[in-house]
């Protein structure tokens, strides 16, 4: 007479291949007792490129906003963006030099580490002002586009029917217009009205379409779930169901695409400012600096190094942060454990299986 099988304490894990079962056991052990927010943060901080990019971006933001100050708040840098003066070096070349072991004349910062332009203005101060403007435009574009995209996508996905049809046809109409052309038209109007803030708002109103379609797809899926039906039966209003129940379950898609949107926004602002349809004098942005100094590229290339490097750095850091957030919010993304952890988990599984089988012997 055979001994009846003892139920496995691991349930469905025993039905998986051994290596996959061990990996799942390790993942479940690591997130045991953690909330969903804690699990997301844990996954994000494991993404080394995203964490490094976040540190770099925070450093750029602090450097830009503390060096020359914001509005009436003064900064620690002694020159202002439009302050003129005598050239410290011939042609206004940078006063910063590298250490001797890197081939320089000795580590030194000097009064104008990024150099000066033909009017004697400090390039470091101007680049920091341009970075402030570009970061502000990037943030406003991300905020405005997210608000419009979430609202349009949520209403279309939740109510469907005629409202969905009208909203999606309007979205398709906006998509057919090239964003660069639409941004150029709106940017020229904003520049005439005075400002980076209006330009950022107009660019945000032209950049929401992709997010709206993604949010609509999420809401079409979520509205059929049991927790939405339970909220309707409990008497919750449509507004409460949308903003309290369905929107939090779409936050992963929204945050990831918002970071990618902000990355493209700073490149769009740079392109518009470079062709003269974005930020204009006396305002300063990174793209406007490149446009202003384009004739000096052959003789004074340092005028292009710093704004160009910051544009690329900001865009890359935001993209890396978005990549880390995508991995953090996506439960299908699994981190491959080390062989040491695999061996420990396999040993624990073998011990627990042996202990569970002993009473039935």
């Amino acid at each position: 007479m055979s001994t009846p099988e003892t139920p496995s304490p691991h349930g469905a894990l025993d039905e998986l291949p051994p290596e996959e079962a061990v990996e799942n056991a390790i993942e479940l052990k690591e997130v045991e007792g953690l909330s969903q927010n804690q699990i997301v943060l844990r996954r994000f901080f494991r993404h080394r490129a995203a964490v490094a990019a976040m540190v770099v971006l925070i450093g750029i933001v602090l450097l830009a906003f503390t060096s020359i100050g914001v509005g009436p708040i003064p900064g620690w840098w002694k020159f202002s963006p439009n302050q003129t003066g005598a050239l410290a070096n011939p042609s206004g070349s940078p006063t910063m030099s590298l250490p001797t072991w890197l081939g320089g004349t000795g580590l030194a910062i000097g009064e104008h580490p990024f150099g000066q332009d033909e009017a004697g203005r400090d390039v470091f101060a101007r680049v920091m002002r341009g970075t402030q403007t570009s970061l502000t435009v990037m943030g406003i574009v991300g905020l405005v586009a997210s608000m419009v995209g979430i609202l349009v996508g949520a209403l279309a996905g939740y109510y469907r029917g005629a409202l969905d049809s009208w909203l999606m046809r309007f979205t398709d109409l906006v998509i057919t217009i090239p964003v660069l052309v639409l941004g150029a038209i709106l940017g020229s109007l904003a520049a005439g009205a005075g400002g980076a803030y209006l330009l950022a708002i107009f660019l945000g109103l032209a950049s929401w379409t992709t997010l709206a379609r993604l949010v609509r797809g999420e809401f079409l899926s979520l509205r059929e779930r049991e927790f939405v039906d339970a909220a309707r039966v409990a008497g919750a209003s449509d507004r409460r169901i949308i903003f309290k129940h369905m929107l939090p379950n779409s936050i992963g898609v929204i945050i990831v695409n918002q970071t990618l949107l902000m990355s493209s926004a700073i490149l769009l602002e740079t392109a518009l400012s470079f062709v003269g349809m974005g930020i204009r004098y006396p305002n300063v942005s990174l793209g406007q600096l490149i446009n202003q100094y384009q004739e000096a590229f052959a003789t004074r290339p340092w005028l292009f190094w710093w704004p160009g490097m910051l544009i690329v750095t900001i865009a890359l850091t935001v993209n890396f942060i978005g990549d880390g957030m995508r991995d953090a919010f996506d439960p299908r993304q699994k981190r491959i454990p080390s062989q040491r952890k695999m061996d420990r988990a396999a040993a624990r599984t073998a011990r627990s299986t042996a202990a569970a089988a002993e009473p039935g012997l």
Side-chain angles (χ1 to χ4, degrees):
M1 183 175 179
S2 61
T3 305
E5 296 183 359
T6 305
S8 171
H10 302 284
L13 290 180
D14 290 338
E15 301 175 2
L16 299 173
E19 292 185 358
E20 188 174 351
V22 173
E23 291 181 8
N24 289 338
I26 293 174
E27 186 174 359
L28 293 174
K29 186 67 176 179
E30 290 179 348
V31 301
E32 184 178 358
L34 300 179
S35 65
Q36 183 63 31
N37 292 334
Q38 291 173 329
I39 294 174
V40 170
L41 287 175
R42 187 186 185 94
R43 288 174 178 169
F44 177 79
F45 284 110
R46 281 180 172 174
H47 198 294
R48 296 181 180 178
V51 174
M54 184 175 63
V55 172
V56 172
L57 183 60
I58 292 175
I60 292 175
V61 171
L62 292 177
L63 179 64
F65 284 91
T66 60
S67 58
I68 59 174
V70 181
I73 304 175
W76 47 265
W77 190 246
K78 57 184 176 181
F79 296 107
S80 62
N82 295 320
Q83 179 182 348
T84 60
L87 298 181
N89 281 343
S91 301
S93 59
T95 59
M96 182 173 55
S97 61
L98 298 174
T100 54
W101 57 276
L102 289 177
T105 58
L107 181 61
I109 300 298
E111 290 190 346
H112 304 283
F114 287 8
Q116 296 171 276
D117 61 8
E118 68 280 357
R121 292 173 295 191
D122 182 62
V123 176
F124 176 80
R126 293 181 63 77
V127 169
M128 291 300 104
R129 179 68 73 196
T131 304
Q132 286 185 9
T133 304
S134 297
L135 288 173
T136 302
V137 170
M138 182 183 70
I140 295 176
V141 169
L143 179 63
V144 173
S146 296
M147 292 175 61
V148 178
I150 291 171
L151 182 62
V152 172
L155 293 177
Y158 181 78
Y159 288 107
R160 297 194 301 183
L163 181 62
D164 179 22
S165 178
W166 280 102
L167 289 176
M168 287 300 101
R169 298 298 76 75
F170 175 70
T171 303
D172 293 338
L173 176 63
V174 177
I175 290 176
T176 58
I177 304 174
V179 177
L180 189 61
V181 175
L182 184 60
I185 297 173
L186 299 177
S188 61
L189 297 176
Y197 297 105
L198 282 177
L199 174 64
I201 293 173
F202 285 156
L203 291 180
L205 293 175
S207 307
W208 53 269
T209 52
T210 301
L211 181 60
R213 297 178 74 90
L214 290 172
V215 172
R216 173 182 175 269
E218 286 291 312
F219 270 62
L220 286 175
S221 175
L222 291 172
R223 74 186 306 274
E224 307 299 334
R225 301 285 291 274
E226 291 80 2
F227 68 91
V228 176
D229 293 334
R232 289 197 190 99
V233 172
S237 62
D238 291 343
R239 184 177 64 178
R240 182 174 181 83
I241 293 175
I242 291 174
F243 292 102
K244 296 293 185 181
H245 297 281
M246 299 178 70
L247 190 59
N249 286 278
S250 306
I251 196 66
V253 173
I254 293 172
I255 291 179
V256 170
N257 287 275
Q258 186 180 27
T259 57
L260 301 178
L261 177 65
M262 292 170 66
S263 174
S264 62
I266 192 170
L267 297 178
L268 178 60
E269 181 275 323
T270 300
L272 292 176
S273 298
F274 178 74
V275 299
M277 294 185 177
I279 306 298
R280 299 181 183 177
Y281 187 84
N283 294 324
V284 180
S285 74
L286 296 177
Q288 192 253 357
L289 286 176
I290 296 178
N291 177 44
Q292 182 179 356
Y293 298 136
Q294 60 180 328
E295 296 180 357
F297 177 76
T299 57
R300 289 170 293 172
W302 58 85
L303 297 177
F304 297 85
W305 293 344
W306 309 111
M309 183 182 66
L310 282 171
I311 290 170
V312 174
T313 302
I314 293 173
L316 285 178
T317 53
V318 175
N319 275 329
F320 279 126
I321 292 173
D323 187 56
M325 287 184 173
R326 181 196 62 196
D327 293 348
F329 280 103
D330 190 355
R332 293 170 296 181
Q333 296 287 336
K334 292 185 178 181
R335 178 173 177 265
I336 300 177
S338 63
Q339 186 62 42
R340 185 178 181 182
K341 288 186 176 181
M342 293 275 288
D343 295 339
R344 288 182 177 178
R348 286 197 301 266
T349 303
R351 287 195 299 267
S352 60
T353 303
E358 286 179 0
L361 294 176

